[in-house]
Every structure is written in structure tokens, then in C-alpha cells.
Amino acid sequence: MDLRFTPEEEAFRKEARAYLDDLLHGEFAGIRGRGGPGDEHALFDERLAWERRLGADGWTCVGWPTEHGGRGLPLHLQVLWYEEYARAGGPGRVGHIGEGLLGPTLIHFGAEHLQRRFLPAIVAGEELWAQGYSEPDAGSDLANIQTRAVLDGDEWVIDGQKVWTSWATTSDWAFVLCRTDRDAPKHKGISYLLVPMRQAGVEIRPINQITGTSEFNEVFFSGARTSADLVVGEVNGGWRVAMGTLAFERGASTLGQQFGFLSEFAELLDEARRRGRTSDPLVRQRLASAWSRLEIMRWNTLRMLTNADRPELGREAFISKLFWARLHRDLGELAVDVLGLDGLVCDGPPYELSPAQQRFLYTRADTIYGGSNEVQRNIIGERGLGLPAEPKV
Ligand SMILES: Cc1cc2nc3c(=O)[nH]c(=O)nc-3n(C[C@H](O)[C@H](O)[C@H](O)COP(=O)(O)OP(=O)(O)OC[C@H]3O[C@@H](n4cnc5c(N)ncnc54)[C@H](O)[C@@H]3O)c2cc1C
């Protein structure tokens, strides 16, 4: 196995690095390093302008096929791009749900008219997306969704409630799982609808999170409407499509985020050095352990990619979400512990959280969203190892 980069790969890295450094030390210097976990509302307009600039210059959706507006980069070059993005302090992307979740879903499952209508606007950063899956009684047990859609002429009429909908307030559209046949068995009567968010029948109520921000929201649909042809996959066949999106959410689309952890670690190490904390043997041990796990994550990603003549990640990727979620949560804990007693208090007034405190609080969510770690273990057991399915209640 040869894990070294080729001259062609190094040339690509150089090109990406020059592009990012030029903009993030020039026109977009103000958003360098902003918009990450716990800082997700920061400088939204500026980050939207950044998204559009990346789109115009061909640096969004880099893994999508060229016929859909992407660069068609193989996974190993995507990794280089994400590494460079993190190294340059690239800001939190406002278009990542469209790019990482809906786009790949449309490319795999969507009819041509849907691809033509929606993909270019994702590439250009012109339309932002939210994911309308979870409901008060449907999280891990997602097939229990109760939001319903009924055809009325050439439109669907939608009623129900979603919850934990990230970035709903800034999204133009959402992909929404709706029950379209109430008599069918649970997994069979679901459709995957594309719904405009800016309409009278959609009410969004932000949820105040422990970080003080409101990344996620309650979303109420009361007679909301969308066109009858905005269904991905078959009517009542949305479960298969929904699972496809989740596979994208847990797989390659998190590469960018994972490489962001490397720069978080670098900041953490600087802080520990500044405070003389690296002479504390327990802190040193945890720093070394975090670094080793980051390296394991990186090498494991590269290992997966050396086998990847196939377009999608294989079953090795099942462990990836479990591994990075736990690692990132531990990094959050270490970030406040490095501050010592300062980690327990806020500078005040106005008592705003420090970046380390924001990170600590936000990373508690890593082992929950995109499917909890317990559910991910079930997936590894059943689909990765072929163990018997857990008993259904
Ligand atoms: C920051 C954040 C952002 C999110 N963004 C979105 C979004 O944009 N759109 C969206 O639709 N949803 C979103 N979610 C929701 C997320 O997908 C759910 O929180 C997650 O699927 C878990 O569902 P739940 O919260 O209902 O917990 P539950 O399903 O009620 O689980 C509660 C506990 O029981 C455990 N559990 C449940 N079932 C099993 C089982 N079979 N075996 C073992 N343990 C089990 C879980 O692991 C968990 O510990 C977001 C969540 C977070 C935290």
C-alpha cells in the first residue's frame, strides 16, 4: 500500500492552497475561521458571499460529476481539498446541506427535471437547503414520522411538525419526509418532497441551544404547498431515498468537517503552550492521545480511499462517524480543561462564551446528529458484520 501523494496530487494541493490563501488573506479575511461549531450564525451574509464566490470559481461540489456542475474529483483529491480548506481557516460553509446531502441524493435518485432545476443553484450557492426528517416522535425511529402530505390537484398540501431542523431560518428549501399513504406499513407510505420554506404555511421557531445560538429549529407546516412533481424517487418510495441521504450524511460529506478538527487541535495546542499547561503530565497525555486519534482518523480515511476505485465509500466508512464523533467530543472537553479554572467562567458582562466553551458545548451534539452513536453501532452490527437484527418491538 503506497500512501504517498503523487506529483499530480501535490500540484492540485498547491493550486487549492494558492486559491484559498489569496482570498482568505485578502477579500474574505474577515470570515477566516468563523462559522464553526457554536459560532454558526457568525457573519452569515459574508459567508453567503463566500459560498457564491467559491461556486463562481468552481470550488463548490468538487466531488460531483462534471455534468452536474461539479469538478468530478475522485475521493483522494476531495480529501486534499478539505485538508487545504481546513488549513487555510476556511469558514463554516452555508451550503453544505445542499452540497453534501441533497445534491448527491438528487444525482443518485432524482429525476432529470429535478436535477436540472435544483443542482445548478446548489453549485452556485444561490439556494440553501434544510433537512426535514426528525419529528418529536421520530428520531432514531425515523419511520414513525407523522407529517402528512395530500395531493390537491397539481400540488401537495403538507401538515405536521418537524424538529431539530438545522439552518431552517436561512434555508430557501427543505427536503421533507412526509407520510403520503397512511394505510401502508410504516416504511412504505413515505415520500421525499422538496418544499419551499419561504411561504405562509411554514412557521419556523428557533430553539435556544446551550451554546446560546439557535442552529436548529421547530418547523410547523400548516397547509404548506409544493408542486406535485417535486418528489425524489417514487411516491410512497421515499424511505429508500431517505436512507440514501443518510448514507451520504455519515460518509464522504463529513470529510471536510473531519479535517477541520486538525486546525481545532492546532489552536488547542497553542493555547496549552501559552498557558504553560503542556508541563502538566495529564494534559500532555490527553494532547498526545487526541493527536494520535486525529492521525488514526486521517490514516484510516486514506486507507479507505486507497481501496476506493468505486465512487462511494465502502463498509469501512461505517466506523468513521462513530470514531470522529467521539474524538470531537473529547476534543471539546480537552479545550475547556486546558483553560483550567478559566474554562468554568465567562468574561463578563456580557458573559459571552469563549470559543473553547462554545466548542465544548456544541460537540456534545456530535454523537447524536446524523444518527446517534448507539444507532450507528446497530448499523455496524447488522450491515457491517452481518449480525442478527435487533429485536423489533
Ligand atoms: C445539532 C443537531 C442538529 C440536527 N439537525 C437535524 C436536521 O437538520 N434535520 C433533522 O431532521 N434532524 C436533525 N437532528 C436530529 C437528529 O437526527 C436526532 O436527534 C437523532 O436522530 C436522534 O433522535 P432523537 O433526538 O429523537 O433521539 P431518540 O431517537 O429519542 O434517542 C434517545 C436515545 O435512545 C437511544 N436509542 C434510540 N433507539 C435506539 C436503538 N434502537 N438502539 C440503541 N439505542 C437507541 C439513542 O441513541 C439516544 O441515546 C439534529 C440533531 C442535533 C443534535
Side-chain angles (χ1 to χ4, degrees), residues 62-76:
V62 292
W64 292 13
T66 45
E67 66 268 30
H68 294 302
R71 276 194 179 225
L73 292 187
L75 276 164
H76 62 286

Side-chain angles (χ1 to χ4, degrees), residues 131-134 139-140 163-166 215-216 362 365 368-372 374-375 378 390:
Q131 178 182 28
Y133 275 28
S134 305
S140 303
V163 73
W164 319 128
T165 317
S166 299
E215 175 198 304
F216 53 40
Y362 188 91
I368 302 172
Y369 67 77
S372 70
E374 291 77 15
V375 167
N378 286 344
E390 69 168 334

Side-chain angles (χ1 to χ4, degrees), residues 177-198:
L177 294 186
C178 296
R179 192 155 294 288
T180 41
D181 180 351
R182 300 179 86 175
D183 300 324
K186 214 153 100 148
H187 296 80
K188 300 245 164 87
I190 294 172
S191 299
Y192 191 114
L193 304 189
L194 308 179
V195 181
M197 292 293 272
R198 302 184 202 286

Side-chain angles (χ1 to χ4, degrees), residues 98-218:
E99 172 169 333
L101 273 61
L102 183 73
T105 305
L106 285 181
I107 290 168
H108 278 74
F109 299 97
E112 203 187 323
H113 74 278
L114 297 178
Q115 296 175 345
R116 263 191 284 112
R117 162 65 186 85
F118 291 109
L119 295 178
I122 296 175
V123 172
E126 294 296 336
E127 286 178 344
L128 304 184
W129 284 84
Q131 178 182 28
Y133 275 28
S134 305
E135 297 184 3
D137 286 321
S140 303
D141 185 12
L142 186 60
N144 199 38
I145 56 144
Q146 301 300 324
T147 293
R148 60 189 185 280
V150 177
L151 262 186
D152 176 25
D154 56 3
E155 287 186 322
W156 293 100
V157 182
I158 303 155
D159 288 279
Q161 185 201 339
K162 297 290 171 181
V163 73
W164 319 128
T165 317
S166 299
W167 298 287
T169 49
T170 48
S171 293
D172 305 290
W173 288 84
F175 44 99
V176 181
L177 294 186
C178 296
R179 192 155 294 288
T180 41
D181 180 351
R182 300 179 86 175
D183 300 324
K186 214 153 100 148
H187 296 80
K188 300 245 164 87
I190 294 172
S191 299
Y192 191 114
L193 304 189
L194 308 179
V195 181
M197 292 293 272
R198 302 184 202 286
Q199 58 168 308
V202 177
E203 187 196 344
I204 301 168
R205 295 187 201 158
I207 297 172
N208 290 331
Q209 291 167 227
I210 198 169
T211 47
T213 51
S214 297
E215 175 198 304
F216 53 40
N217 305 267
E218 293 179 296

